């Protein structure tokens, strides 16, 4: 499709779209009277047929190109509906249409639709950060390269030398690592004399080369002369080393846009294009008040950041890095034969059930224990499992993981094995994206983990038909990111709700963001699907809570699709609504989540491993859910410490759950190794579980898998 084709395409599709029942129902929720909706849509589709809509609203080439991109994006099934809805409101709100439109529908409807359109207008996102726009021009330095290229190296050294600075990373574990390294003096500040004889630290989870030539810039043992007081701020944890500390290490969501910094380092900048969390990275790029802003991540983010900074007027410098060790694709797959798995291998699967099925099969077939790492597993347990895998004497020679291995874990992986090259996205099975292939494969052969003269990393597939897919994906140049995601703040939600009917719910307001907002061509709102699930829970239980309370609860890190966690949070919301205080002890006792933890703790006390061997992994699932619920409580406790005052008990219970999960996982390995058969059928074509069988390994041959 070319820009010249857009008007004709809209003219052809407009009338069928205007008759869709869900479209009509949505506009009624937005306050358009039913008797007015039909003539309003008729006037709009007539203008589409006459090809006057785009010229009326003066749609420029950048927006036309964005429309074409969205239409060609097969993963964006709602794109046409979204564009039609937004164009409808923009057209109605445009002054040029008033004269003709007021003859067809009431002026009051035109006025209310125009007010809703203006309340949700996000065509200039950079203007929502006036403090940063009012300060001197920032110097933005991008450090881009593949995994294992040392791209955060210079950024962290600049931070270590700053008087006031901040590191913002995607994971609590990464924030914690930088916090510890800065306080211990392990990172050499820019401008200091470097050590030639110190031992370098090769255990970092951040992408940093521990040396510069023969000199050490990241020491295994700290140098007191390099030590900097640094505080830690994450959603669930805060550690104040010194109230006067000039440095802070945080997760990206916790970065302050109010403090004037000398240096800010934002890690994994490509995540600004993540539809669930990208808004935090967009806030960092647009809103951080800093003299120097260092953005570390993938090459694909460069064009998007360039487009964003054209609106802010900031200076941009791009530093590019090459991988420090080679990465190659093996000539053959494992041909489905798990007997070919070696020490130092990591098999990547994309469902939790598949991970445990593979763990069982590999351990029974080989007698080697397998560590596991997947997204639902708490970060602390992932880190413990990584330590077991990295320890050559632990007996855990193999790692089975999801794409969670791609970030935040220090892993001594020699070879990555893709069990599949597709992943279930919540709707259907899709091929992995090029960035996903590269992020995961790049974990093989990290610099310094197998010796400085190491031949590098190897990646392959479990099944032969998948190998050329992997090979082709890794050969593709970086695909430029097209859109940065935006998170709606309390002011935006307040303005939208004021423009909606008085009985409109917060979930209706969030739909306005998706279907009414005029977007800058380089931006999009974060996916509101999970937020709408949350608001529906909240409105069903406590619709009369203040907007501030409802937005706070929506923003809490809650996996609402986890039924056990959703029930826990429903009880929490009900207790808060009734008492304005949530007693955590009372809450967990009344929930279903504590029983499995207590059961496992009894097994631990008696060292009753035999009982675990008769269990499925359901107890582990419930402990994971309990951990998620406790994380949400801790998150709320830092934002409303009076109502959520049982922080110490939450931390205590969280640590108990982590210890129990770690023990349970270790016993599972003992169980599977003990069940090892003498001559296993190591040719794996199906991953079997109690009660179900799942096909794995080939595009188009994968049945629905639960999300890892």
């Amino acid at each position: 499709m070319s820009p010249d084709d857009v008007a004709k395409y809209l003219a052809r599709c407009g009338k069928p779209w205007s008759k869709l029942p869900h479209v009509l129902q949505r506009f009624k929720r937005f306050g358009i009277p039913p008797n007015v909706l039909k003539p309003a849509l008729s006037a709009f589709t007539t203008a589409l047929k006459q090809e006057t809509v785009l010229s009326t609203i003066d749609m420029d080439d950048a927006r036309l190109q964005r429309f074409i991109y969205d239409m060609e994006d097969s993963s964006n099934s709602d794109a046409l509906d979204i564009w039609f809805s937004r164009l409808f409101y923009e057209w109605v709100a445009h002054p040029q249409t008033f004269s003709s439109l007021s003859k067809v529908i009431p002026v009051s409807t035109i006025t209310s639709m125009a007010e809703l359109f203006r309340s949700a207008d996000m065509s200039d996102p950079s203007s929502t950060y006036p403090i940063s726009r009012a300060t001197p021009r920032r110097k933005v330095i991008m450090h881009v390269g593949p995994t294992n290229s040392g791209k955060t190296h210079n950024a962290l050294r600049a931070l270590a030398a700053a008087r006031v600075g901040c590191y913002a990373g995607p994971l609590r574990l990464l924030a914690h690592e930088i916090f510890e390294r800065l306080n211990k003096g392990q990172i050499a500040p820019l401008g200091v004399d470097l050590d030639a004889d110190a031992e370098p630290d090769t255990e970092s989870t951040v992408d940093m080369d521990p040396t510069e030539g023969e000199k050490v810039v990241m020491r295994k043992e700290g140098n007191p002369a390099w030590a900097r007081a640094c505080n830690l701020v994450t959603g669930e944890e805060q550690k104040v080393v010194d109230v006067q500390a000039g440095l802070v290490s945080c997760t990206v969501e916790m970065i302050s846009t109010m403090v004037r910094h000398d240096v800010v380092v934002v890690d994994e900048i490509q995540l600004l294009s993540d539809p669930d969390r990208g808004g935090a990275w967009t806030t960092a790029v647009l809103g951080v008040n800093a003299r120097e802003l260092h953005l570390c991540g993938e090459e694909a983010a460069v064009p998007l950041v360039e487009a964003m900074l054209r609106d802010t007027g900031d200076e941009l410098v791009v530093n590019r890095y090459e991988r420090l060790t080679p990465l190659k694709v093996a000539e053959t797959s494992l041909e489905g034969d798990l007997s070919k798995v070696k020490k130092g291998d990591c098999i990547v699967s994309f469902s939790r059930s598949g991970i445990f099925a593979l763990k069982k099969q590999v351990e029974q077939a080989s007698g080697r224990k397998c560590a596991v790492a997947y997204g639902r597993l708490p970060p602390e347990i992932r880190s413990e499992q990584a330590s077991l895998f990295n320890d050559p004497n632990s007996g855990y020679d193999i790692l089975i993981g999801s794409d969670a291995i791609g970030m935040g874990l220090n892993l001594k992986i020699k070879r990555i094995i893709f069990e599949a090259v597709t992943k279930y996205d919540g709707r259907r099975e899709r091929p992995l994206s090029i960035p996903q292939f590269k992020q995961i494969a790049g974990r093989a052969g990290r610099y310094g983990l197998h010796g400085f003269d190491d031949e590098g990393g190897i990646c392959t597939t479990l099944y032969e038909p998948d190998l050329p897919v992997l090979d082709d994906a890794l050969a593709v140049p970086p695909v430029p990111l097209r859109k940065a995601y935006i998170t709606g703040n309390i002011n935006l939600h307040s303005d939208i709700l004021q423009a909606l009917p008085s009985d409109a719910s917060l979930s209706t307001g969030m739909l306005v963001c998706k279907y009414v907002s005029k977007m800058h061509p380089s931006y999009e709102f974060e996916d509101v699907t999970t937020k709408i699930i949350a608001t529906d829970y909240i409105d069903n239980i406590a619709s009369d809570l203040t907007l501030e309370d409802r937005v706070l609860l929506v923003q809490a890190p809650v996996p609402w699709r986890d039924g056990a966690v959703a029930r826990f949070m429903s009880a929490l919301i009900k207790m808060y609504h009734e008492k304005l205080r949530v007693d955590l002890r009372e809450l967990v006792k009344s929930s279903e989540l504590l029983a499995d933890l207590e059961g496992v703790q009894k097994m631990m006390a008696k060292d009753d491993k035999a009982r675990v061997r008769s269990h499925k992994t359901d107890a582990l699932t419930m402990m994971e859910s309990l951990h998620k619920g406790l994380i949400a409580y801790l998150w709320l406790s830092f934002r409303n410490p009076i109502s959520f005052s049982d922080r110490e008990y939450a931390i205590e219970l969280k640590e108990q759950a982590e210890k129990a999960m770690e023990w349970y996982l270790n016993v599972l390995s003992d169980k599977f190794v003990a069940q090892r058969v003498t001559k296993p059928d190591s040719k794996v074509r199906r991953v079997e579980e109690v009660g179900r069988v799942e096909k794995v390994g080939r595009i188009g041959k994968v049945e629905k898998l639960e999300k890892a």
Side-chain angles (χ1 to χ4, degrees):
M1 187 188 300
S2 71
D4 293 337
D5 299 327
V6 172
K8 290 181 174 59
Y9 182 79
L10 291 171
R12 187 171 67 252
C13 301
K15 194 167 185 178
W17 164 81
S18 71
K19 296 181 180 298
L20 293 172
H22 71 273
V23 171
L24 301 176
Q25 185 59 39
R26 181 196 309 135
F27 288 144
K28 290 174 185 176
R29 287 182 69 176
F30 291 172
I32 303 177
N35 63 321
V36 176
L37 183 54
K38 185 176 180 179
L41 285 169
S42 179
F44 176 60
T45 55
T46 298
L48 286 171
K49 192 172 182 179
Q50 295 169 348
E51 299 184 15
T52 60
V53 170
L54 301 186
S55 59
T56 297
I57 65 174
D58 194 23
M59 189 160 163
D60 62 20
D61 186 64
R63 291 182 71 197
L64 288 171
Q65 292 294 341
R66 169 64 185 276
F67 175 87
I68 294 168
Y69 171 80
D70 286 347
M71 293 306 105
E72 294 175 349
D73 181 2
S74 61
S75 67
N76 191 356
S77 58
D78 298 332
L80 187 58
D81 186 9
I82 292 169
W83 269 99
F84 268 130
S85 298
R86 290 175 175 176
L87 290 173
F88 176 44
Y89 268 85
E90 185 174 359
W91 179 80
V92 169
H94 199 281
Q96 193 173 320
T97 66
F98 181 82
S99 177
S100 59
L101 194 58
S102 61
K103 298 174 184 176
V104 180
I105 65 175
V107 172
S108 59
T109 300
I110 298 174
T111 302
S112 63
M113 289 180 68
E115 184 181 350
L116 185 61
F117 171 75
R118 286 190 292 269
S119 72
D121 186 357
M122 290 302 292
S123 57
D124 185 14
S126 66
S127 66
T128 59
Y129 302 95
I131 295 177
S132 292
R133 301 291 79 77
T135 54
R137 188 176 185 230
R138 301 177 302 174
K139 182 175 184 178
V140 180
I141 305 171
M142 294 193 74
H143 305 272
V144 297
T147 304
N148 192 18
S149 61
K151 54 186 173 285
T152 61
H153 177 104
N154 290 317
L156 289 177
R157 293 198 62 198
L159 175 62
R163 184 181 64 85
V164 179
C166 174
Y167 168 84
L171 301 172
R172 181 159 41 97
L173 288 176
L174 282 172
H176 201 280
E177 178 184 336
I178 300 303
F179 159 77
E180 288 192 333
R181 292 187 182 282
L182 288 169
N183 279 296
K184 292 177 180 177
Q186 292 178 288
I187 300 173
L190 282 179
V192 302
D193 293 330
L194 300 179
D195 296 326
D197 54 353
E199 183 179 0
D201 189 347
T202 60
E203 300 297 318
S204 175
T205 60
V206 296
D207 199 348
M208 184 173 181
D209 182 354
T211 63
E212 275 186 13
E214 300 297 322
K215 303 293 182 68
V216 175
V217 296
M218 185 184 288
R219 297 168 52 111
K220 187 167 186 177
E221 299 295 331
N223 182 343
W226 297 353
R228 295 295 311 279
C230 177
N231 296 330
L232 175 71
V233 180
T234 72
E236 308 86 43
E237 184 181 16
Q238 296 184 13
K239 291 185 178 181
V240 179
V241 172
D242 184 344
V243 293
Q244 300 297 324
L247 302 184
V248 63
S249 183
C250 65
T251 43
V252 175
E253 284 83 357
M254 302 303 294
I255 196 168
S256 172
T257 58
M258 305 300 291
V259 176
R260 176 64 176 172
H261 297 92
D262 296 315
V263 173
V264 170
V265 177
V266 179
D267 212 351
E268 304 293 353
I269 186 57
Q270 72 278 358
L271 289 179
L272 57 75
S273 207
D274 181 275
D276 296 314
R277 294 183 64 196
W281 277 262
T282 301
T283 293
V285 174
L286 297 179
V288 161
N289 186 357
R291 179 176 54 81
E292 276 188 11
L293 175 59
H294 294 255
L295 307 177
C296 306
E298 296 176 7
E299 172 74 30
V302 173
L304 180 55
V305 172
E306 287 175 336
M308 296 167 72
L309 297 185
R310 279 196 287 271
D311 295 328
T312 66
D314 295 312
E315 176 188 359
L316 177 62
V317 176
V318 181
N319 297 324
R320 291 178 167 88
Y321 302 78
E322 299 295 329
R323 186 176 161 93
L324 297 170
T325 58
L327 175 67
K328 62 182 180 181
V329 178
E331 294 182 359
T332 61
S333 73
L334 270 63
E335 299 176 324
D337 189 350
L338 291 178
S339 69
K340 296 180 180 180
V341 174
K342 306 173 185 176
K343 183 173 183 176
D345 280 350
C346 172
I347 306 176
V348 180
S349 179
F350 298 105
S351 78
R352 181 181 181 278
S353 54
I355 287 169
F356 278 101
L358 276 170
K359 174 182 171 68
K360 179 178 180 179
Q361 289 187 330
V362 172
E363 290 182 337
Q364 288 181 344
S366 68
R368 297 178 185 270
K369 293 182 181 180
C370 299
V372 295
Y374 52 92
R376 207 181 133 80
L377 202 62
E380 293 82 358
I381 307 301
R382 274 182 265 162
S383 183
E384 288 293 334
Q385 291 287 300
S387 296
L388 287 172
F389 173 71
N390 289 339
D391 182 353
N393 301 315
S394 71
Y396 287 81
D397 297 336
I398 297 159
L399 179 66
I400 315 286
S402 71
D403 46 355
I405 68 158
M407 194 179 298
L409 291 175
N410 171 46
L411 295 164
K412 297 182 179 180
I413 298 170
K414 180 62 179 175
R415 181 173 65 168
I416 290 283
I417 302 164
F418 285 81
E419 179 226 19
V421 290
T422 62
K423 180 179 179 180
Y424 183 64
D425 68 356
R427 294 183 180 179
R428 64 175 185 257
E429 201 72 25
R430 293 187 186 275
L432 295 178
S433 68
I434 300 300
Q436 285 174 322
F437 273 116
K438 293 187 175 185
Q439 183 86 6
I440 296 167
R443 300 299 286 179
R446 283 199 69 187
Y447 187 64
L449 295 180
H450 296 278
F452 290 99
D453 296 321
D454 185 65
E455 63 180 6
I458 301 168
C459 56
T460 188
T461 58
L462 185 57
Y463 302 102
E464 191 64 29
D466 294 338
L467 191 60
V469 178
L470 172 63
D471 199 8
D472 291 346
L474 296 185
V476 172
V479 179
L481 304 178
R482 291 297 300 265
K483 50 192 174 184
Y485 283 88
I486 298 172
T487 301
N489 58 30
I490 185 70
N491 294 330
L492 177 68
H493 290 306
S494 178
D495 290 345
I496 289 173
L497 287 175
Q498 287 179 23
L500 284 168
S502 58
D503 61 346
S505 65
L506 181 56
S507 62
T508 300
M510 290 181 174
L511 285 174
V512 168
C513 295
K514 181 175 182 178
Y515 289 103
V516 176
S517 296
K518 179 182 180 181
M519 300 301 301
H520 184 292
S522 295
Y523 295 86
E524 186 53 77
F525 267 106
E526 284 184 341
D527 185 3
V528 297
T529 305
T530 300
K531 293 182 173 66
I532 288 174
I533 293 172
T535 58
D536 287 343
Y537 271 104
I538 295 163
D539 287 342
N540 286 336
I541 298 167
S543 60
D544 56 343
L545 285 175
T546 66
L547 177 61
E548 289 78 5
D549 277 343
R550 284 182 288 159
V551 170
L552 180 69
L553 290 166
V554 167
Q555 291 174 339
V558 179
W560 289 96
R561 288 189 174 91
D562 182 323
V565 179
R567 290 187 290 274
F568 175 88
M569 288 301 297
S570 296
L572 179 149
I573 293 165
K574 183 178 180 181
M575 189 181 294
Y576 176 71
H577 181 240
E578 293 173 351
K579 301 179 181 179
L580 290 179
R581 182 184 178 279
V582 177
D583 184 323
L584 184 59
R585 286 178 172 81
E586 180 182 340
L587 180 66
V588 295
K589 283 181 181 177
S590 64
S591 80
E592 64 200 288
L593 297 177
L594 197 58
D596 282 285
L597 173 61
E598 291 176 338
V600 172
Q601 287 176 323
K602 289 177 182 176
M603 296 183 213
M604 291 171 64
K606 298 177 180 178
D607 199 27
D608 190 357
K609 297 179 181 178
R611 189 176 170 192
V612 174
R613 290 168 187 153
S614 65
H615 268 228
K616 301 176 186 177
T617 57
D618 294 346
L620 182 61
T621 302
M622 294 303 286
M623 288 189 290
E624 290 168 355
S625 295
L626 172 62
H627 195 276
K628 298 290 185 187
L630 294 171
I631 289 294
Y633 186 95
L634 284 168
W635 189 92
L636 291 165
S637 77
F638 283 108
R639 290 149 183 83
N640 186 348
I642 295 175
S643 297
F644 301 89
S645 57
D646 295 327
R647 186 184 303 156
E648 290 186 5
Y649 178 60
I651 293 171
E652 176 188 336
L653 199 56
K654 170 177 162 289
E655 291 174 349
Q656 289 179 22
E658 290 163 3
K659 181 183 287 188
M661 282 187 277
E662 184 183 352
W663 181 82
Y664 199 90
L665 282 170
N666 292 342
V667 175
L668 280 179
S669 285
D670 293 338
K671 166 187 172 181
F672 295 151
V673 171
Q675 293 173 348
R676 183 185 181 190
V677 292
T678 306
K679 293 183 178 180
D681 179 10
S682 57
K683 286 276 188 177
V684 179
R685 286 294 168 185
R686 299 175 72 85
V687 176
E688 300 184 9
E689 286 189 280
V690 176
R692 67 192 261 188
V693 179
E694 296 172 337
K695 295 179 182 178
V696 297
R698 296 183 182 226
I699 294 179
K701 298 291 186 182
V702 186
E703 296 176 0
K704 180 176 177 180
L705 300 174
E706 63 176 311
K707 202 171 182 181

